[in-house]
Amino acid sequence: QNIQPQGPYQIGGWSFGGIIAFEMAQQLYQQGHKVALLALIDCYAPTINNAPKKIDEALLIASVAKDLGGVFGKDIPVLIDELQPLIFADKVHYILNQVEKVNILPPEFGLQQMRQLLQVFQANLMATYEYIPKPYPGQITIFCSSEKILEVTKEPELGWGRL
């Protein structure tokens, strides 16, 4: 709003950024501004019903592998059953090893960067689980980069239809 004090605004976000864009549009609307476009790209609606109290490390690492693979169009094989018995440090080594096999990250990307990526991913996941979305009065435009996204939910709206 420092750059453009008045709408109409065009807001968009990919993945977790879509949830941020959704909340930004909500707040702008509540302030009396017009949002001409709210675009969500490969972004599932947050659901409060499935929110765990604590994020399982193995599931978190598998999710990071799936996301990284999706961004680069590669499958990163991660078996949650293999991760479960490992301590966190070994889980980080495991995921880094799997990512290195598909050669999608720069060579200087190491353990420290992977730990940081996992921390950010976990924080975003917890924020998603804790966020309670309210119905949005405007229109939402949803973009899916592939039909694989739709296979997960079987909903063309990726869960946003109720909002």
Side-chain angles (χ1 to χ4, degrees):
Q1 286 182 305
N2 287 339
I3 295 168
Q4 183 181 338
Q6 295 296 318
Y9 294 100
Q10 296 182 11
I11 302 172
W14 167 70
S15 191
F16 176 70
I19 296 170
I20 302 293
F22 178 80
E23 179 57 27
M24 288 172 63
Q26 289 280 34
Q27 290 184 24
L28 287 166
Y29 179 80
Q30 289 171 0
Q31 295 170 12
H33 296 283
K34 180 172 174 42
V35 176
L37 174 67
L38 172 55
L40 308 181
I41 306 162
D42 292 345
C43 177
Y44 299 100
T47 58
I48 56 174
N49 297 337
N50 299 330
K53 300 277 188 263
K54 183 178 182 237
I55 294 177
D56 179 83
E57 288 176 353
L59 184 59
L60 172 71
I61 288 173
S63 297
V64 168
K66 184 177 180 179
D67 271 20
L68 281 174
V71 168
F72 293 98
K74 304 261 185 167
D75 282 329
I76 301 174
V78 173
L79 301 172
I80 293 177
D81 293 341
E82 287 182 14
L83 287 170
Q84 288 294 356
L86 302 177
I87 62 170
F88 184 72
D90 291 340
K91 289 175 184 171
V92 175
H93 281 284
Y94 176 95
I95 181 72
L96 188 59
N97 189 17
Q98 295 302 95
V99 169
E100 286 173 350
K101 286 179 185 177
V102 295
N103 197 29
I104 59 173
L105 296 175
E108 64 273 6
F109 192 91
L111 285 172
Q112 183 60 30
Q113 289 84 3
M114 183 57 74
R115 281 190 192 99
Q116 290 172 339
L117 178 64
L118 288 167
Q119 286 177 336
V120 169
F121 198 89
Q122 182 174 8
N124 290 350
L125 203 53
M126 286 307 299
T128 300
Y129 286 147
E130 293 173 4
Y131 179 60
I132 302 171
K134 295 180 176 118
Y136 177 66
Q139 181 177 344
I140 301 172
T141 303
I142 300 168
F143 295 94
C144 294
S145 61
S146 75
E147 290 180 11
K148 286 183 183 178
I149 298 289
L150 295 174
E151 291 172 8
V152 176
T153 66
K154 308 286 190 230
E155 289 182 56
E157 305 100 9
L158 304 182
W160 292 101
R162 62 185 170 79
L163 296 169

